[in-house]
Amino acid sequence: RKEVEQDPGPFNVPEGATVAFNCTYSNSASQSFFWYRQDCRKEPKLLMSVYSSGNEDGRFTAQLNRASQYISLLIRDSKLSDSATYLCVVNNQAGTALIFGKGTTLSVSS
Amino acid sequence: DGGITQSPKYLFRKEGQNVTLSCEQNLNHDAMYWYRQDPGQGLRLIYYSQIVNDFQKGDIAEGYSVSREKKESFPLTVTSAQKNPTAFYLCASEGTGTDTQYFGPGTRLTVL
């Protein structure tokens, strides 16, 4: 099993749609979880951390299920500007480094 | 402005040449990281440093070298021993007590 797995997509949705991305991770000892956003040919930027209780930031909601080792990101009311690749990230067992998924590509169209 | 800078943005190298990529941060972060990203792939860790004068190999360190003489700086040298050096190189830093990493704009290295 890969350390962090994501559906690569692409997810093609119209403006205003709700879209959900899923991610699974293999290391049950991971303690830190994040979603990063990466625009084409740019650096990744932190979108949000993911907490055990789930957390929301505007149109974005992140959920963590430790028992299933599963992380999700929900985007409501999609905007054209949401088009990007979304990277699921967890820390390694030693807590010394982050492990990045390959990303899920989202394309929002008008 | 606080942040992480990488230079150059684009770099071309002939086969057999070593090249050094610059990474500087003024965020007062202790930890710094170098990643490589290939098209359609995730980020892979090359080297990281959690404190000045100390660094550790990541998953793909072969053909690369680093130094950490100053807190602000973490240069990466791509040596001629690296078989497929053409890639997008990203530097990141992380504050003490957090796992949140912040990235520089990256350097695109092309070997001709």
Side-chain angles (χ1 to χ4, degrees):
Chain A
R1 182 178 180 182
K2 293 181 181 176
E3 290 185 281
V4 179
E5 285 200 76
Q6 297 181 249
D7 180 344
F11 284 60
N12 298 305
V13 303
E15 276 186 290
T18 295
V19 61
F21 304 140
N22 303 319
C23 167
T24 57
Y25 61 95
S26 60
N27 183 4
S28 60
S30 291
Q31 295 294 323
S32 299
F33 309 90
F34 307 91
W35 284 101
Y36 277 74
R37 168 192 170 129
Q38 186 173 26
D39 292 295
C40 188
R41 300 180 68 82
K42 298 287 189 182
E43 75 274 23
K45 293 185 178 179
L46 179 67
L47 179 65
M48 59 197 305
S49 301
V50 185
Y51 303 117
S52 296
S53 55
N55 48 299
E56 186 174 308
D57 183 2
R59 299 182 291 110
F60 299 84
T61 300
Q63 297 279 353
L64 169 64
N65 183 324
R66 285 186 186 271
S68 301
Q69 294 177 210
Y70 171 95
I71 306 163
S72 66
L73 176 69
L74 183 76
I75 304 175
R76 292 180 298 278
D77 188 24
S78 298
K79 310 291 185 191
L80 294 175
S81 57
D82 293 334
S83 297
T85 297
Y86 291 84
L87 307 175
C88 176
V89 183
V90 305
N91 69 337
N92 64 0
Q93 189 163 1
T96 54
L98 297 180
I99 303 168
F100 288 76
K102 292 184 179 181
T104 298
T105 299
L106 171 66
S107 177
V108 181
S109 57
S110 57
Chain B
D1 287 348
I4 306 171
T5 57
Q6 291 185 243
S7 62
K9 188 172 182 178
Y10 298 97
L11 187 58
F12 297 88
R13 186 195 95 177
K14 291 183 180 179
E15 276 194 48
Q17 289 181 335
N18 292 357
V19 62
T20 297
L21 281 57
S22 167
C23 178
E24 304 277 334
Q25 55 98 1
N26 60 5
L27 299 168
N28 200 34
H29 286 171
D30 288 314
M32 296 185 74
Y33 302 80
W34 273 105
Y35 295 90
R36 166 184 176 141
Q37 188 175 35
D38 294 281
Q41 301 297 313
L43 278 68
R44 292 186 289 168
L45 182 63
I46 304 173
Y47 267 99
Y48 64 99
S49 168
Q50 295 186 307
I51 197 168
V52 175
N53 292 322
D54 186 57
F55 48 82
Q56 307 296 328
K57 291 183 179 179
D59 301 318
I60 55 165
E62 186 175 350
Y64 299 98
S65 66
V66 293
S67 63
R68 187 83 187 279
E69 297 177 1
K70 298 187 299 181
K71 188 175 186 178
E72 302 79 18
S73 179
F74 191 39
L76 173 74
T77 296
V78 185
T79 75
S80 56
Q82 169 49 235
K83 300 302 180 189
N84 296 296
T86 295
F88 186 35
Y89 289 87
L90 288 156
C91 178
S93 70
E94 179 185 299
T96 303
T98 80
D99 280 330
T100 306
Q101 293 185 13
Y102 298 92
F103 287 84
T107 292
R108 292 196 178 274
L109 173 65
T110 302
V111 175
L112 304 172

